[in-house]
Amino acid sequence: MSDDFKRVESYECPMSTCAAPAGSPCRTGKGKVAIQYHTARFRLVPQLAKALSVPTPPVRNPGSVWTELPRPPSAGAEPVGHVRLGYARASTARQSLDAQLDALTEAGVTRVFSEKISNRATRRPELEAAVKLAGEIRSSGVAVTLVVHEHKRLGRGLELAMSPRN
């Protein structure tokens, strides 16, 4: 069985008609467990943001009467620490990352993801890795800040970096 439902259920459903709390599946307007999670909810998970649908697993009894399940222990808890991750990017192989790396170190970044990749690239593997790690760290109850030397360094990866709760 896929762990997708656990990732989705780590967030509260943002749909006003559902508002399922973290740890519970989405619900229909008629008070049943939804057959699939609401799009607004599963898009909060970076790995599922481009999925067309995420089905509710059989273990959640889709179609049955909805009841709130126990919330995960970390839901609503104060962060137990803080981690600063950094991202540095240059557009060409000839450009240096040194100034960005120095600035990130000065800002107290504990780990830097860096790459030399064109502005035209549609994927930023190192940025994706940074956001994924940030999500994993956050799920353990630690606050995470993604630090970038300049806003333009994100380029087309901005949508990924701005994913809510990551």
Side-chain angles (χ1 to χ4, degrees):
M1 180 188 311
S2 173
D3 285 5
D4 290 347
F5 79 98
K6 291 178 184 175
R7 291 187 188 115
V8 172
E9 290 180 13
S10 67
Y11 300 96
E12 294 181 2
C13 184
M15 298 288 295
S16 61
T17 56
C18 174
S24 295
C26 287
R27 57 184 156 192
T28 66
K30 295 187 178 186
K32 303 277 184 189
V33 176
I35 303 298
Q36 63 186 23
Y37 293 96
H38 293 120
T39 306
R41 189 177 193 187
F42 70 75
R43 289 216 169 132
L44 297 173
V45 181
Q47 301 90 333
L48 302 174
K50 294 190 180 194
L52 298 176
S53 67
V54 176
T56 304
V59 71
R60 294 299 199 217
N61 302 316
S64 66
V65 175
W66 186 91
T67 56
E68 183 175 343
L69 299 174
R71 295 176 189 233
S74 63
E78 289 295 316
V80 295
H82 185 250
V83 173
R84 295 172 69 89
L85 301 176
Y87 176 72
R89 183 188 63 80
S91 299
T92 67
R94 284 184 258 148
Q95 291 177 322
S96 174
L97 293 171
D98 293 344
Q100 291 180 62
L101 297 175
D102 291 345
L104 292 172
T105 301
E106 190 176 308
V109 170
T110 54
R111 179 162 177 199
V112 176
F113 293 81
S114 63
E115 58 193 343
K116 292 187 177 186
I117 191 165
S118 169
N119 285 335
R120 295 184 191 149
T122 57
R123 289 191 63 242
R124 303 254 188 273
E126 288 298 307
L127 179 58
E128 290 171 9
V131 171
K132 180 179 178 187
L133 179 60
E136 291 170 2
I137 292 171
R138 279 189 57 122
S139 69
S140 68
V142 177
V144 181
T145 302
L146 182 61
V147 181
V148 182
H149 181 257
E150 292 179 319
H151 190 250
K152 69 181 183 180
R153 293 290 134 213
L154 289 175
R156 293 186 183 180
L158 184 60
E159 297 84 23
L160 178 61
M162 290 178 52
S163 298
R165 300 185 188 198
N166 288 320

